[in-house]
Amino acid sequence: MTSRTFVQLCLLPLAIFTLTFLALPLSRLILASGEGEFGWGIYLKILQTPRYYSTLLHTVLISIAVTIAALGISTTAGLFLVRNRFAGRGVLLSILTLPLAFPGVVVGFMIILLGGRQGLVNQILPGHWVFAYSAFGLFLGYLYFSIPRVLLTVMAAAEKIDPALEEAALTLGAPTHRVVLDVILPALAPAMTAAGAIAFATAMGAFGTAFTLATNIDVLPMVIYTEFTLSANIAMAAALSVVLGVITWALLLIARSFSGTTIAAGG
């Protein structure tokens, strides 16, 4: 058997998987979006219908807010954990990455226990503090879900930063904030871009958390679910799915162009 034949045999399962589980379902999804009463004009209908447009806007804005917050919290915590060794460090890291073990429904349930009508915040603070079913509650759920994914990526990149670069900058008289802005953040930029893209994609498509919390607001995964199951509007559900996929894919493509292959580590 020649090496070329061996490579072809190895690629055969990948080709079958790509065709069966990716190309064919995606093609069918796109075709289904144009089979409704509006035809291919259904994508224009999404922009012209206030409910669909506002839902799309809410989903994107919440995802952007989650991405920014996750990057800020995880980068700070990641740098601290990489640069410092102390008792309980492993326990703290385990707690920060614990959400990786939970499905979205459990995360949503935890937010309800925190900010629901009978939640912990209502029991401790005076007044009526119910935020679990609002955009803020959904933001907290997505953030809780995203922090460990960003944290692990940033920590892996931070461990590769040469300390000599920071020492040289300090020796030349650079203040601490300039070292952070001119040395540390540029070195972390590819990993942060990759991690941010993953956080955004996760928030855009998260269903379990939205299913638990999004009672007072609409987000795209929930609208897709209701259009498909309750209204039997297959074309609209397919079109919204395509829109969600295109937006997420475009951001991942842009992130890959800025971060090279680092984005693979984020998944």
Side-chain angles (χ1 to χ4, degrees):
M1 179 185 298
T2 64
S3 59
R4 182 177 180 179
T5 304
F6 178 76
V7 171
Q8 290 175 343
L9 288 176
C10 292
L11 290 177
L12 182 61
L14 176 61
I16 295 175
F17 174 82
T18 302
L19 178 65
T20 305
F21 295 100
L22 293 177
L24 290 179
L26 285 175
S27 300
R28 185 67 190 99
L29 183 69
I30 294 172
L31 290 175
S33 68
E35 294 176 352
E37 60 176 311
F38 300 106
W40 296 110
I42 195 169
Y43 292 99
L44 183 60
K45 182 70 175 178
I46 292 175
L47 297 178
Q48 293 175 339
T49 304
R51 182 197 175 202
Y52 298 139
Y53 179 76
S54 63
T55 297
L56 176 61
L57 186 61
H58 286 161
T59 307
V60 171
L61 291 178
I62 290 176
S63 300
I64 291 174
V66 168
T67 301
I68 294 173
L71 283 173
I73 295 172
S74 300
T75 301
T76 304
L79 284 172
F80 176 80
L81 290 171
V82 167
R83 301 297 175 85
N84 297 275
R85 295 293 187 270
F86 53 90
R89 177 181 179 275
V91 175
L92 178 59
L93 184 58
S94 299
I95 293 174
L96 290 173
T97 56
L98 185 61
L100 290 173
F102 292 147
V105 173
V106 174
V107 174
F109 180 54
M110 293 172 64
I111 298 299
I112 292 175
L113 293 178
L114 178 66
R117 295 176 181 86
Q118 304 298 323
L120 181 63
V121 173
N122 257 334
Q123 297 177 15
I124 295 177
L125 299 179
H128 192 60
W129 298 82
V130 178
F131 57 81
Y133 310 103
S134 65
F136 181 66
L138 195 61
F139 165 81
L140 290 180
Y142 287 172
L143 180 62
Y144 185 79
F145 208 64
S146 298
I147 283 177
R149 290 163 172 78
V150 179
L151 178 68
L152 293 177
T153 303
V154 171
M155 286 184 66
E159 290 175 349
K160 298 178 181 179
I161 298 178
D162 188 356
L165 297 175
E166 299 175 49
E167 295 173 3
L170 292 172
T171 301
L172 293 173
T176 303
H177 73 278
R178 295 308 309 179
V179 174
V180 173
L181 294 176
D182 297 336
V183 178
I184 297 178
L185 289 183
L188 292 177
M192 292 176 63
T193 302
I198 295 300
F200 179 85
T202 302
M204 282 288 293
F207 176 76
T209 307
F211 185 81
T212 310
L213 299 176
T215 56
N216 296 330
I217 59 171
D218 279 333
V219 288
L220 211 51
M222 284 301 302
V223 173
I224 293 171
Y225 173 77
T226 55
E227 289 291 337
F228 178 71
T229 59
L230 301 181
S231 304
N233 192 350
I234 307 299
M236 182 57 73
L240 291 171
S241 300
V242 171
V243 170
L244 187 152
V246 167
I247 293 174
T248 306
W249 171 81
L251 185 87
L252 290 173
L253 184 63
I254 294 171
R256 183 179 294 276
S257 67
F258 281 101
S259 63
T261 58
T262 309
I263 196 168

